[in-house]
Amino acid sequence: MEYANHLKEYAAAPSETQVAEEVAHLKSAAKGNENIDVYKFCYSTIDLTTLSCNDSEESVTKFAKRAVEFYNAYPDIPNVASICVYPSFVETVGLAVDGSPMRITSVAGAFPASQSFVEVKALEVAMAIENGADEIDIVLNPGMMIAGHDDEAASEVEFLREEAKDVVLKVIIESGALKNPELIRRASLVAMFAGADFIKTSTGKIDVAATPEAAFIMCHAIKDYYNLTGRKVGFKAAGGVKTPEDAALYYTIVEEILGKEWLTTDLFRIGASSAANNLISAIEDKDIKYF
């Protein structure tokens, strides 16, 4: 499908100065959300992630079982939304979490660079789902977007959307590679046009990961898209979200721009690993290294 003319229906992105001014306001507002209730909710939105070259069947099994044990270890804290792994470990996680309500997320589609044949990407998505993935995170090709090939990038997402039509599809725009507000906004809209259930900031595999500035632009794109189409798309911050204060800031950005109706695990996620321990520690008011 061609989207160039469709993009003209949407306002241009704010300037970098406007973004900086608004984010400064949001950072101030976030102080009011640095409390246990917000931290508990933020913990429940985490896609608990292990995407390391050192991952093995043994390490991933241990990781997943530890996440499932959290239900009994901390019954007063809602557990994480899902466990996120490479496609080859989806079945491993499935065996470890069997009998629990834990969901399984898999990165796929030539993650993290999105540089492969679309047929290879589609096969990887299909195999991850066949092995038990409930949710799939793919990357909108950054090189295509930077070069101005919006429709080609969107077509790939549409193709993978067909493979993932029965699961939640999160599309990573790799905002740190796109850099400027207009390109971040265009990528956000293109991903939504192509069928994303969530748009996600980052892979966490390049120097610049999630930033509040990118989140601000992306959430406004979601709001504008919803106002024109009536379809709600979720937001996921990932990469570099480490502290409870980081989590509260992204919570605040979503709350202020999209409203409290977006503050559910169906529409807001945090991709993290170290943030989990830090949020538990803040909730329990003592240093805890659970994972």
Side-chain angles (χ1 to χ4, degrees), residues 177-217:
L178 303 179
K179 301 184 189 303
N180 71 72
E182 182 58 31
L183 198 46
I184 291 171
R185 182 172 173 80
R186 286 176 71 87
S188 299
L189 290 169
V190 163
M192 290 187 283
F193 294 159
D197 296 310
F198 276 77
I199 54 173
K200 174 179 170 182
T201 57
S202 323
T203 62
K205 300 298 185 182
I206 66 171
D207 290 343
V208 179
T211 65
E213 290 78 13
F216 173 84
I217 297 163

Side-chain angles (χ1 to χ4, degrees), residues 15-243:
S15 68
E16 291 185 0
T17 299
Q18 290 172 316
V19 172
E21 290 173 352
E22 292 295 331
V23 168
H25 164 74
L26 290 164
K27 285 180 177 179
S28 178
K31 298 297 182 183
N33 283 326
E34 293 175 3
N35 59 68
I36 289 175
D37 287 342
V38 169
Y39 294 159
K40 283 185 175 181
F41 171 74
C42 286
Y43 186 84
S44 77
T45 71
I46 290 176
D47 289 336
L48 189 67
T49 303
T50 180
L51 297 172
S52 168
C53 64
N54 296 328
D55 286 344
S56 65
E57 186 174 336
E58 291 79 9
S59 69
V60 171
T61 297
K62 181 179 179 181
F63 183 76
K65 285 185 174 180
R66 191 69 172 148
V68 171
E69 290 165 359
F70 189 88
Y71 288 110
N72 292 325
Y74 292 92
D76 294 331
I77 303 176
N79 207 351
V80 296
S82 77
I83 297 170
C84 179
V85 293
Y86 282 116
S88 56
F89 294 113
V90 168
E91 188 172 9
T92 300
V93 174
L95 292 171
V97 307
D98 188 38
S100 81
M102 184 63 66
R103 296 178 66 81
I104 305 170
T105 295
S106 177
V107 295
F111 175 95
S114 191
Q115 300 290 359
S116 188
F117 303 103
V118 70
E119 294 84 1
V120 172
K121 297 180 184 183
L123 180 59
E124 191 175 51
V125 168
M127 290 179 71
I129 295 169
E130 184 178 351
N131 283 348
D134 303 296
E135 305 184 359
I136 296 290
D137 289 18
I138 64 170
V139 182
L140 178 74
N141 190 300
M144 289 181 183
M145 290 302 305
I146 292 167
H149 304 313
D150 299 14
D151 290 341
E152 188 175 349
S155 293
E156 286 202 347
V157 174
E158 286 181 335
F159 191 69
L160 300 183
R161 169 81 273 183
E162 281 300 304
E163 291 292 343
K165 58 187 175 184
D166 296 323
V167 301
V168 173
L169 181 68
K170 308 189 201 90
V171 178
I172 305 161
I173 68 163
E174 199 66 291
S175 57
L178 303 179
K179 301 184 189 303
N180 71 72
E182 182 58 31
L183 198 46
I184 291 171
R185 182 172 173 80
R186 286 176 71 87
S188 299
L189 290 169
V190 163
M192 290 187 283
F193 294 159
D197 296 310
F198 276 77
I199 54 173
K200 174 179 170 182
T201 57
S202 323
T203 62
K205 300 298 185 182
I206 66 171
D207 290 343
V208 179
T211 65
E213 290 78 13
F216 173 84
I217 297 163
M218 293 169 70
C219 285
H220 270 289
I222 291 170
K223 182 178 181 179
D224 292 349
Y225 178 80
Y226 172 70
N227 287 339
L228 279 175
T229 68
R231 186 171 80 90
K232 290 182 177 179
V233 174
F235 169 76
K236 179 175 174 179
V241 185
K242 296 180 179 179
T243 68

Side-chain angles (χ1 to χ4, degrees), residues 41 222-223 226-227 230-235 251 254-268:
F41 171 74
I222 291 170
K223 182 178 181 179
Y226 172 70
N227 287 339
R231 186 171 80 90
K232 290 182 177 179
V233 174
F235 169 76
Y251 173 101
V254 171
E255 180 183 43
E256 292 285 325
I257 297 171
L258 295 170
K260 289 186 180 295
E261 63 190 292
W262 253 262
L263 293 173
T264 73
T265 56
D266 289 333
L267 292 169
F268 177 50

